[in-house]
Structures are given as C-alpha cells and as structure tokens.
Amino acid sequence: QVQLVESGGGLVQAGGSLRLSCTASGRTILNNIMGWFRQAPGKEREFVAAIRWSASRTVYKDSVKGRFTISKDNAKDTVYLQMNSLKPDDTAVYHCAAGWDSGVYLYSAPEAYAFWGQGTQVTVSS
C-alpha cells in the first residue's frame, strides 16, 4: 500500500498563487507516476497534471498549462503543484494520486492510479 498526504491548500484571491505538496509513504515502489486531480462541487473529477518519478516526464490539462507546474523531490518522495495566476474556476478539492505507467492508460486517466490522497481544498475568490 501507498499512503498519500496532501497539504498546502487554502483561500487565495484571483491572480494569487498556492503550492500544494503530496508526500508518499509505504510501498512507494508500487508507483512510478504521480498525478493531481481536482473535483469541484457538482462536477466530475478532472485531471490536472502528472509526472513520472524517473525521466521527469510531465503532462498537463490544457487549461492549466503555463500557470501550473508539477515537480518532484525523489529524496523526499514528495510531489508539488505550483499554481500561479489562479482563477475562481480553479476552486476545487485537489487530490494527489499514485500509479503505475503500464502503457495501458494515459497519465490523465484515473484508471492509471491505484492510490489516492484525501484531498486539500483550494478556494479562489474573485
């Protein structure tokens, strides 16, 4: 099993920034990709960004490209999501996920991820 703990959410004004962190523990060898997903009230969960532990390959949702950056610290088993130029539409609960790149699913597919964190709330006021 892999345990994921997110932190860094909060309330910010439009145009502001937040950095989310996700620290993995347990059998981290079970995953080689980490992703961030978000779910707003009344909406379906959607992919935000993903990164592979090795090679640092990254993938982003189109609407966050140029504003969000996903990065990692392998030594700390931690993945970050730097969010700049935040918009009210970014308001959601952000979940970290850990998975395995088997070549079957895209990094943006929830099916690629076996372990999920509890989430951290991000609220962007206008």
Side-chain angles (χ1 to χ4, degrees), residues 60-69 82 84-85:
Y60 293 94
K61 175 181 173 63
D62 284 346
S63 64
V64 307
K65 287 180 181 177
R67 299 190 299 123
F68 291 10
T69 302
Q82 177 67 44
N84 299 327
S85 302

Side-chain angles (χ1 to χ4, degrees), residues 12-80:
V12 65
Q13 289 188 332
S17 299
L18 284 173
R19 189 177 82 155
L20 306 183
S21 299
C22 172
T23 298
S25 61
R27 298 186 64 191
T28 57
I29 195 172
L30 295 177
N31 73 85
N32 65 355
I33 57 173
M34 297 289 290
W36 286 98
F37 289 75
R38 67 187 182 187
Q39 188 165 19
K43 295 186 178 181
E44 293 187 355
R45 179 177 53 188
E46 63 177 6
F47 169 77
V48 177
I51 189 167
R52 187 180 175 107
W53 282 114
S54 64
S56 295
R57 177 187 173 192
T58 58
V59 180
Y60 293 94
K61 175 181 173 63
D62 284 346
S63 64
V64 307
K65 287 180 181 177
R67 299 190 299 123
F68 291 10
T69 302
I70 189 170
S71 61
K72 60 183 176 63
D73 185 332
N74 292 58
K76 296 181 179 180
D77 285 333
T78 298
V79 173
Y80 305 97

